[in-house]
Amino acid sequence: MNEERHEITLLVNGLPNTVVVPARRLLSDALRHDLGLTGTHVGCEHGVCGTCTVLFDGQPVRSCLMFAVTAAGHEITTVEGLTEPDGTLSPVQQSFIDCHALQCGFCTPGFLCTITAFLDEHPDPTDAEILAGVSGNLCRCTGYQNIRSAVRRAADLRSDRARRVTT
Amino acid sequence: MTSLFGARVPRKEDPQLVTGKGTYVDDFGPDALGVAFVRSTYAHAEVLDIDVGEALEVDGIVAVYTYEDLPERIGAALPVLVPHPGLTEPRTGYPLAKGIVRYSGEPIAMVVATDRYVAEDAAERISVSYQPLPPVVGLENAAAAERLVYPDVPGNLAAHMVQDVGHARQAIDAAPHRLQFRLAIERSAPVPLEGRGVYACWDARDGSMRVCSSTQLPVSLRNAIASRLDLPLKKVEVIAPDIGGGFGMKLNHPWPEEVLLPWAARLIGKPLKWVDDRREGFIASSSERAQIHDVDVGFDDQGHILGLSVRFLHESGAYTPYGIIVPIITMSQLPGPYRIPNYRVEFDCLYTNTVMVTPYRGAGRPQGAFAMERTIDRIAEFLGLDRAEVRAVNFVQPADMPYDTGLIFQDGRPAIYDSGDFPSSLKLVTEAIGWRDFPARKEQAAKEGRRLGIGIACYVEGTGVGPYEGGHVEIEPSGRVLVSTGLSAQGQGHQTMLAQIVADELDVPICDIEVTTGDTRRFGYAVGTFASRTAVMSGSAVALAARKVRAKALRIAGDALEADPRDLEIEAGVVRVKGSPEAFIPLKTVATLSNPLRYAFDEAAKAATQFTRPGSFDEPPVREGEEPGLEATDYYSPVRCTFANGIHAVVVETDTRTAEVRILNYAVSCDCGTMINPMIIEGQIHGGVAQGVAGALYERLAYDEDGQLQNASFMDFLMPYATEVPEHIEIRHLETPSPLNPLGVKGAGEAGVIPAVAAIAAAIEDAEGYRIDHMPVSPSELFHLRSSQEARQ
Amino acid sequence: MKPAPFSYHSPATVEETLAVLADLGADGKILAGGQSLIPILNMRLSSPPHLVDINRVGGLDTVTVDGVLRVGALARHAQVERDERVRRSCPLLSRALALVAHPAIRNRGTLCGALAHADPASELPGVLLLAGGSVEVARAGAPVREIPAADFFVGPLESDLDTGDLIVAARFPLLPPRTGTDFVEIARRHGDYALCGVGAMVAVDTDGLITSARTVYIGANPIALVLDLTEAVAGSRPESASYAAAGRLAHDAVDPDPDIHASAEYRRELAAVLTERGLAAAATRAAAAGTQVAALPPDGSAGEAV
């Protein structure tokens, strides 16, 4: 019994990619294996750890809880898409380095996507908002202290860059 | 150039990781075949039959293997990695179950298919018939031994050990005061976010096997695979890629998968890959922590401990591949920073029908700290003395160093504390937590109807365990400085830390340094990453290798500049004559000169050719005892390990209605000797504290009476989010350098977790006013403890 | 953990969806947000042969407030949470939505999907019950029918839906005047299923005295349980009402199951504590709403003091 396969186009990091996948292919696996974008990691496949978080039409979602066939036609941003085209790190990426907010790096792409969207919605967040914003992703290494600092720093870097662009 | 040693240098690892370019094991081999396992659904059963018929019909199936299919060498029992005379009844499992399963999750069959999805389809169609056997679950049941895990292991006793210093029994009997009590810690798990994984690729043309495994010990794994597959060592390459956390779970080896995948890859002739899913991570890896302690202590009016006798039960799970390292660490580290002249400690290591026990960050020390620190608290309470002062009264003093505890440590060597200033550590942490002012704070809170409590707990940690680690440092003619060591990294920033050391030793810019860890192609002699040992062991080895390179560089530079090497200095990668700025030679040129050439393969190489390079034609180009190239290998092998230490203090609030526990303040004093990168050390502490808090309040493995794990997922195994850890951790560093290694470092990897459960238990007890001697404790459990307490009053 | 194979259907209209569902019968399972379904599929706890993905069906994601709050089948939790009209017209729902799992889950999960899933620990069935709402259910060859909340939740993870049914919308009555609400819960970790959660709705009269106090309990009963606790607090002022008595009634009324996270008795205690907290907050808001002199918005919503 051959499993039915579907030809779909996934818009990832601004580029269309046509792949042929079974319906049950999770978006996380399609990104990693069919598109070779291994930056998105898989931690639990039941939606709790947030490691697989990507942006779906700009909003963070668990890519392990979506089938690639459902995602077809929507805009997906992965960690690879957060870097500027010229290679400059995004404010969130840079602040993670500056604040030592990663150790093994496995949960990091999920956090980066989550925080990128969070700062779009809360460009000047309070500490309580930051805590709420990062408390849907698990990290085993950092104990979260530096991740919270990194969000604060990223907010500052973003407003710096915005100022520089407008002046 | 300012020294990088001790600097908060941003990590070299990060740019790749934040851009999604890290390569973890599942990122390798996009064309590899997928692998899934059929795992036992019983904790204890005979395997009567394995019917694979339907599985073989699944579209995309490649092969199914059971024990019967394995050649003898492959299917043989897995090794006892750390044999010990005390481990009288060692037992290990088989790569695939041989007729009997002893924990739920034990691998029974391996399925290879076009991808993991199909492999799981096939695995689902394999039907196993079992004859269930009565499972042994829980330490008390194991000790009671009404049921046995092994018919030929009476009492479920894998090992029994005693260490005895002085005369504990007599001292306790003669002591003015005596207390006896029981303490318990439940089973928990390391749970790195990336599980285990193996990628195996056989190159038939040259007969070599390449394996990527998410392992903390690539060299030892290479040795194990070579032995299993009967291949020369040099024909097996093991690469530890980027690893998403280890915490001890990736120490055991070879795992069944690490034997089976290389074997099957060679047999099938295609690369194979397996990564565990979260459920497998819980039921088929390893865990730790379950112990029950019976403490008997004798003390005087000032709280001096005159005699201490501890007997504990240690849960081993179904197998003992890692020997009895964990309970040995408990027994030998239990005394912590205290002088205990009469100490007797005894343990029974017991089998249960659960997954095996191997170290989890802390490795038996959290249990030992729990026992010791709760003992001190009880002594203080009994005498009406301040808990910090009773600790101080029992401390080994700085003047006592080196202090011989009289115990044998996990490396078989005497546990002799080489350094430490426990009174200063105590002063730092009590100030940081506001210990002196706390009674007033507690009273004020009580007036507001709030319950606050404070706890404090100390530990000593033997780090830098041997036998050795090695380091290789090489300066290329390109100017690149290549550094390698054999152990692997799982997020601790080893590359950065080692680069800082080399940058300092060689006075080269850190951006010129590339560090490779955990790749047997680059470095083939190593032990592994555990026991907070990397900075001590690899750090020292790399420093020593770098010093050799520096000495050689100065010698060659001296020849070239016609100067005495003692008159030379290096700055930013350039060797110059002190006081003569025009007399200099870049290290990259020195590297070129270090290799006498006949052929100039590029422009720079011309300097080393026979008619151009300096030197006399009366001497051989490569002198006696020398080698071409600017590189060196060295090893660090200490006579014994060093001892880091620290103290945690915590203030909690317990909700008067719901019994929820909230951490208000958390302070840590940490003495890991000389600090190489304080930023990395603090990160280690943050992460360790999170695991400690988790172990106190959230995480435990909940087995039912049938040996089934009821919380084999993140939904029910409560790993903390950011909201569950302390809002802030106040860290105070103390550096008492170790005299045992060239850098004075002591290791910080486990500093954050070791005393956390003890400190939090103490704080909850202080808030509630009744015994907290069983951890972890949930709000529901605390609620019931409180209700029983109130009912009694 | 990968799901078993399934045949995939992606209808574009409600009619098409109903036809496919009728065709597939018990073999078909609806995929909306997937936040509850996909973990189940990944763990192979269930392996339906056919999945009907309704994410491309047009017109199902609308939210309207017109005498009633109507939430279409594909309206995501996050979308409804952010909707100001919902905050004004049915604040109980907004408060509860903020407590559902984590933002990434709320970005995909649908309200109607949560109602269909009927998890006794889920906030949404609790809100529907306390608010006295209903679900609109369509099936091929039949008119859309409305099922009141009280009839909809039949058992743990069991709703009144038949094979072939599709929820097209959920309906929530608007907040009446001089009424306040609250939703509080206690979970082991932030975002976890609650050990116990309580929705509360309190009404006061023109003198500011409590006339009605009702609560709903999730996570502490086989299905979400609504209690009328008016007798304990009627006629009192919000600041002096006997919430403890109401809490004791709740303690005795809920029937929680123990599990590895909490005992049944602890959950009863939480029911009592959260009843007190929820009623007090709801009553205070009711009194504040009562003192507001505000023109009612044209959609008929009453508004609530924050």
Side-chain angles (χ1 to χ4, degrees):
Chain A
M1 186 261 303
N2 266 312
E3 196 176 350
E4 188 186 353
R5 300 170 88 80
H6 302 261
E7 185 179 287
I8 57 171
T9 300
L10 292 169
L11 279 144
V12 185
N13 300 329
L15 293 174
N17 297 267
T18 302
V19 291
V20 180
V21 292
R24 61 171 167 162
R25 177 83 94 239
L26 299 170
L27 178 60
S28 42
D29 290 331
L31 291 169
R32 289 177 50 73
H33 300 295
D34 296 291
L35 298 185
L37 293 169
T38 57
T40 301
H41 302 142
V42 173
C44 73
E45 291 177 321
H46 46 276
V48 180
C49 74
T51 297
C52 68
T53 304
V54 298
L55 299 181
F56 184 84
D57 294 334
Q59 295 298 317
V61 299
R62 311 283 202 231
S63 62
C64 73
L65 296 189
M66 190 182 291
F67 296 114
V69 288
T70 304
H74 291 266
E75 277 180 35
I76 297 161
T77 308
T78 67
V79 61
E80 291 94 340
L82 298 180
T83 319
E84 314 264 327
D86 68 356
T88 312
L89 298 177
S90 76
V92 184
Q93 289 169 316
Q94 184 60 51
S95 66
F96 260 59
I97 297 178
D98 297 342
C99 296
H100 186 37
L102 67 150
Q103 292 182 23
C104 79
F106 199 71
C107 72
T108 305
F111 269 102
L112 295 175
C113 288
T114 301
I115 293 166
T116 299
F118 169 78
L119 289 174
D120 284 342
E121 201 173 323
H122 304 270
D124 186 20
T126 62
D127 285 347
E129 283 169 340
I130 290 177
L131 181 59
V134 300
S135 56
N137 292 59
L138 287 176
C139 171
R140 196 51 161 169
C141 295
T142 68
Y144 307 104
Q145 308 289 328
N146 290 346
I147 291 177
R148 288 180 5 240
S149 306
V151 181
R152 167 68 54 218
R153 178 160 174 77
D156 294 341
L157 286 178
R158 279 168 56 117
S159 57
D160 279 353
R161 281 198 200 178
R163 262 200 301 279
R164 267 186 262 128
V165 165
T166 57
T167 51
Chain B
M1 217 173 77
T2 21
S3 171
L4 287 180
F5 200 100
R8 306 175 76 91
V9 173
R11 297 192 335 161
K12 292 170 76 65
E13 293 89 335
D14 290 353
Q16 291 280 97
L17 298 176
V18 298
T19 51
K21 296 204 194 84
T23 38
Y24 303 82
V25 68
D26 193 42
D27 303 338
F28 286 80
D31 301 323
L33 297 175
V35 175
F37 284 85
V38 175
R39 298 184 180 278
S40 169
T41 52
Y42 285 91
H44 196 192
E46 275 175 36
V47 177
L48 299 174
D49 185 57
I50 308 170
D51 184 353
V52 307
E54 271 187 49
L56 294 172
E57 287 165 21
V58 169
D59 186 40
I61 190 76
V62 172
V64 178
Y65 305 108
T66 66
Y67 175 79
E68 310 298 330
D69 300 309
L70 305 180
E72 195 182 319
R73 214 182 167 98
I74 300 298
L78 297 166
V80 179
L81 295 171
V82 195
H84 188 286
L87 179 60
T88 43
E89 296 290 351
R91 293 290 185 281
T92 58
Y94 293 82
L96 292 173
K98 181 186 171 190
I100 186 161
V101 286
R102 296 194 179 87
Y103 66 93
S104 182
E106 186 159 9
I108 293 176
M110 177 164 92
V111 176
V112 182
T114 47
D115 67 26
R116 174 72 181 221
Y117 287 74
V118 175
E120 287 190 17
D121 294 342
E124 209 177 33
R125 285 165 173 74
I126 293 175
S127 72
V128 181
S129 358
Y130 301 89
Q131 174 58 56
L133 298 168
V136 178
V137 183
L139 260 179
E140 278 155 322
N141 287 329
E146 279 163 23
R147 300 173 175 182
L148 294 179
V149 176
Y150 296 94
D152 57 348
V153 180
N156 292 310
L157 191 70
H160 171 258
M161 242 185 100
V162 179
Q163 290 205 49
D164 220 333
V165 179
H167 309 282
R169 177 78 11 237
Q170 292 93 305
I172 294 170
D173 288 340
H177 310 290
R178 180 176 187 168
L179 287 172
Q180 294 171 304
F181 49 88
R182 170 169 283 203
L183 300 164
I185 293 189
E186 289 190 58
R187 194 83 170 261
S188 187
V191 196
L193 211 44
E194 182 209 24
R196 297 186 298 115
V198 186
Y199 165 74
C201 182
W202 169 249
D203 184 338
R205 274 171 309 155
D206 78 353
S208 65
M209 175 68 69
R210 171 172 304 170
V211 174
C212 279
S213 179
S214 198
T215 178
Q216 294 173 234
L217 329 101
V219 172
S220 193
L221 177 62
R222 186 273 311 266
N223 300 346
I225 292 173
S227 170
R228 283 269 159 170
L229 268 60
D230 200 13
L231 288 170
L233 288 176
K234 292 276 189 301
K235 287 292 194 183
V236 179
E237 297 168 356
V238 174
I239 299 152
D242 287 317
I243 296 179
F247 311 112
M249 193 263 258
K250 297 173 181 175
L251 276 180
N252 183 50
H253 65 288
W255 289 99
E257 300 86 358
E258 289 171 330
V259 171
L260 295 169
L261 261 81
W263 167 73
R266 182 171 62 175
L267 187 65
I268 297 173
K270 292 214 176 93
L272 259 55
K273 185 168 63 171
W274 168 84
V275 283
D276 78 8
D277 61 31
R278 187 50 56 192
R279 183 171 165 74
E280 283 176 302
F282 278 109
I283 65 172
S285 60
S286 66
S287 55
E288 200 230 280
R289 294 286 193 262
Q291 287 184 0
I292 297 175
H293 285 240
D294 283 319
V295 178
D296 191 358
V297 64
F299 53 99
D300 68 17
D301 292 333
Q302 288 77 45
H304 291 106
I305 295 172
L306 303 173
L308 176 66
S309 176
V310 178
R311 187 165 176 279
F312 67 94
L313 304 180
H314 171 83
E315 185 173 355
S316 162
Y319 299 118
T320 46
Y322 215 84
I324 44 177
I325 288 296
V326 173
I328 288 176
I329 292 175
T330 304
M331 86 185 327
S332 56
Q333 297 263 251
L334 189 149
Y338 308 112
R339 169 194 295 282
I340 308 201
N342 300 290
Y343 171 53
R344 183 181 188 283
V345 59
E346 179 181 349
F347 71 77
D348 285 346
C349 176
L350 299 167
Y351 285 115
T352 57
N353 287 108
T354 58
V355 79
M356 75 181 90
V357 167
T358 67
Y360 162 30
R361 198 178 198 174
R365 269 167 286 248
Q367 298 92 310
F370 188 56
M372 188 70 248
E373 297 303 298
R374 305 307 284 124
T375 299
I376 299 255
D377 287 341
R378 293 219 186 188
I379 290 172
E381 185 199 5
F382 182 91
L383 296 170
L385 296 176
D386 179 278
R387 289 172 279 160
E389 287 186 18
V390 174
R391 285 170 165 83
V393 137
N394 283 288
F395 274 160
V396 170
Q397 296 299 317
D400 297 331
M401 301 296 179
Y403 176 77
D404 189 346
T405 62
L407 297 164
I408 304 296
F409 189 47
Q410 61 145 324
D411 55 2
R413 288 159 189 266
I416 299 174
Y417 299 166
D418 58 306
S419 58
D421 182 353
F422 309 132
S424 296
S425 291
L426 184 66
K427 186 160 188 288
L428 285 173
V429 78
T430 49
E431 275 168 9
I433 199 73
W435 182 266
R436 212 178 298 282
D437 298 328
F438 184 76
R441 184 178 170 196
K442 183 175 180 179
E443 201 182 310
Q444 179 55 37
K447 289 191 184 120
E448 295 162 16
R450 296 169 60 203
R451 282 187 209 192
L452 262 54
I454 193 168
I456 190 166
C458 311
Y459 72 92
V460 167
E461 181 196 355
T463 76
V465 181
Y468 66 83
E469 279 305 329
H472 176 257
V473 175
E474 177 177 354
I475 305 181
E476 276 192 341
S478 64
R480 277 196 206 95
V481 181
L482 305 178
V483 179
S484 65
T485 187
L487 50 61
S488 63
Q490 304 86 40
Q492 307 93 327
H494 292 337
Q495 286 180 27
T496 304
M497 181 264 293
L498 294 173
Q500 284 176 255
I501 290 172
V502 173
D504 232 56
E505 294 287 340
L506 294 180
D507 283 295
V508 293
I510 197 169
C511 56
D512 289 349
I513 303 173
E514 290 171 24
V515 181
T516 304
T517 60
D519 186 336
T520 60
R521 297 171 300 183
R522 288 291 301 278
F523 207 99
Y525 287 98
V527 181
T529 307
F530 55 91
S532 311
R533 67 196 290 276
T534 302
V536 177
M537 304 299 292
S538 289
S540 296
V542 163
L544 293 171
R547 288 176 194 181
K548 280 185 175 172
V549 169
R550 185 188 179 98
K552 184 170 185 181
L554 293 182
R555 222 171 35 248
I556 295 170
D559 284 347
L561 297 172
E562 292 173 347
D564 187 320
R566 287 169 298 183
D567 294 329
L568 299 175
E569 63 188 8
I570 309 180
E571 187 178 333
V574 177
V575 186
R576 57 181 89 247
V577 178
K578 293 178 195 167
S580 298
E582 72 288 352
F584 67 89
I585 178 171
L587 276 174
K588 61 194 264 195
T589 308
V590 176
T592 304
L593 293 176
S594 72
N595 181 17
L597 293 174
R598 179 170 168 85
Y599 303 112
F601 50 82
D602 65 16
E603 194 61 34
K606 285 182 180 172
T609 53
Q610 56 206 25
F611 298 110
T612 314
R613 75 187 297 275
S616 156
F617 284 115
D618 293 327
E619 302 243 334
V622 179
R623 276 179 240 167
E624 177 99 29
E626 295 249 324
E627 291 175 3
L630 191 54
E631 61 176 304
T633 300
D634 211 340
Y635 292 87
Y636 174 67
S637 180
V639 66
R640 58 177 178 273
C641 70
T642 174
F643 285 85
N645 70 85
I647 310 182
H648 290 204
V650 59
V651 174
V652 304
E653 176 169 4
T654 56
D655 189 292
T656 53
R657 299 289 304 277
T658 66
E660 289 164 292
V661 178
R662 200 158 72 92
I663 293 177
L664 301 183
N665 307 96
Y666 204 103
V668 170
S669 77
C670 175
D671 176 4
C672 58
T674 325
M675 291 191 284
I676 300 169
N677 187 325
M679 181 187 80
I680 289 180
I681 288 168
E682 284 158 17
Q684 292 295 300
I685 294 173
H686 293 162
V689 168
Q691 282 175 310
V693 169
L697 303 175
Y698 294 99
E699 293 177 7
R700 66 184 184 98
L701 292 175
Y703 286 98
D704 69 13
E705 57 188 19
D706 295 321
Q708 301 298 340
L709 186 58
Q710 296 172 285
N711 56 350
S713 80
F714 281 154
M715 289 177 190
D716 293 309
F717 181 82
L718 304 177
M719 252 168 71
Y721 292 102
T723 32
E724 284 73 56
V725 301
E727 201 178 301
H728 173 69
I729 300 169
E730 188 67 30
I731 300 175
R732 298 287 157 86
H733 296 289
L734 180 67
E735 287 177 299
T736 67
S738 170
L740 295 179
N741 64 69
L743 304 174
V745 300
K746 296 200 284 208
E750 290 157 277
V753 72
I754 293 169
V757 167
I760 293 171
I764 296 173
E765 185 167 311
D766 186 46
E768 292 285 300
Y770 50 81
R771 295 274 168 252
I772 303 293
D773 45 26
H774 185 124
M775 294 294 270
V777 66
S778 67
S780 176
E781 287 159 350
L782 192 62
F783 171 78
H784 285 285
L785 285 171
R786 185 192 273 173
S787 307
S788 330
Q789 186 67 19
E790 283 164 6
R792 254 173 282 168
Q793 284 163 354
Chain C
M1 294 184 287
K2 312 297 181 188
F6 52 81
S7 294
Y8 178 73
H9 309 264
S10 185
T13 65
V14 173
E15 289 66 38
E16 223 186 298
T17 306
L18 297 178
V20 170
L21 287 174
D23 232 5
L24 296 175
D27 282 349
K29 184 86 184 130
I30 295 169
L31 171 66
Q35 305 301 282
S36 297
L37 178 63
I38 296 181
I40 290 172
L41 298 183
N42 287 349
M43 292 193 252
R44 298 198 184 208
L45 295 172
S46 167
S47 300
H50 295 264
L51 232 56
V52 182
D53 184 345
I54 64 169
N55 287 287
R56 291 195 171 79
V57 176
L60 284 182
D61 62 351
T62 52
V63 175
T64 57
V65 181
D66 186 1
V68 72
L69 168 62
R70 185 180 182 276
V71 177
L74 280 180
R76 314 279 170 186
H77 296 314
Q79 171 196 347
V80 180
E81 185 190 349
R82 288 189 179 100
D83 195 323
E84 264 310 304
R85 301 168 300 162
V86 176
R87 207 181 299 274
R88 274 201 321 271
S89 64
C90 190
L92 176 68
L93 180 57
S94 304
R95 291 182 200 290
L97 283 169
L99 299 172
V100 172
H102 298 284
I105 303 291
R106 301 203 287 276
N107 284 335
R108 290 303 293 167
T110 62
L111 240 99
C112 292
L115 295 174
H117 191 57
D119 193 319
S122 165
E123 293 82 354
L124 282 321
V127 173
L128 196 75
L129 279 165
L130 184 60
S134 59
V135 291
E136 290 175 26
V137 179
R139 64 181 293 111
V144 172
R145 66 191 195 279
E146 199 177 324
I147 306 179
D151 298 333
F152 186 74
F153 303 104
V154 168
L157 297 170
E158 199 191 328
S159 75
D160 192 37
L161 293 173
D162 290 325
T163 310
D165 280 344
L166 171 73
I167 298 180
V168 289
R171 300 165 74 89
F172 298 84
L174 305 185
L175 187 72
R178 290 189 305 277
T179 306
T181 64
D182 196 28
F183 206 107
V184 278
E185 57 182 52
I186 286 178
R188 287 292 275 129
R189 294 174 303 185
H190 178 84
D192 281 351
Y193 277 116
L195 299 181
C196 180
V198 176
M201 202 179 257
V202 174
V204 297
D205 64 18
T206 46
D207 294 322
L209 301 176
I210 295 174
T211 53
S212 155
R214 293 167 60 250
T215 50
V216 68
Y217 299 83
I218 62 159
N221 210 62
I223 60 173
L225 176 70
V226 175
L227 293 180
D228 191 328
L229 300 173
T230 307
E231 66 178 272
V233 293
S236 307
R237 299 212 152 278
E239 56 273 20
S240 54
S242 176
Y243 300 118
R248 281 193 293 277
L249 289 174
H251 174 281
D252 296 341
V254 294
D255 182 25
D257 280 328
D259 67 13
I260 60 170
H261 300 304
S263 68
E265 179 52 37
Y266 181 68
R267 292 179 135 104
R268 286 181 188 277
E269 179 65 24
L270 292 186
V273 173
L274 293 176
T275 298
E276 294 174 32
R277 292 182 189 167
L279 285 180
T284 306
R285 289 188 183 117
T291 61
Q292 269 177 355
V293 179
L296 289 177
D299 55 16
S301 59
E304 175 178 86
V306 178

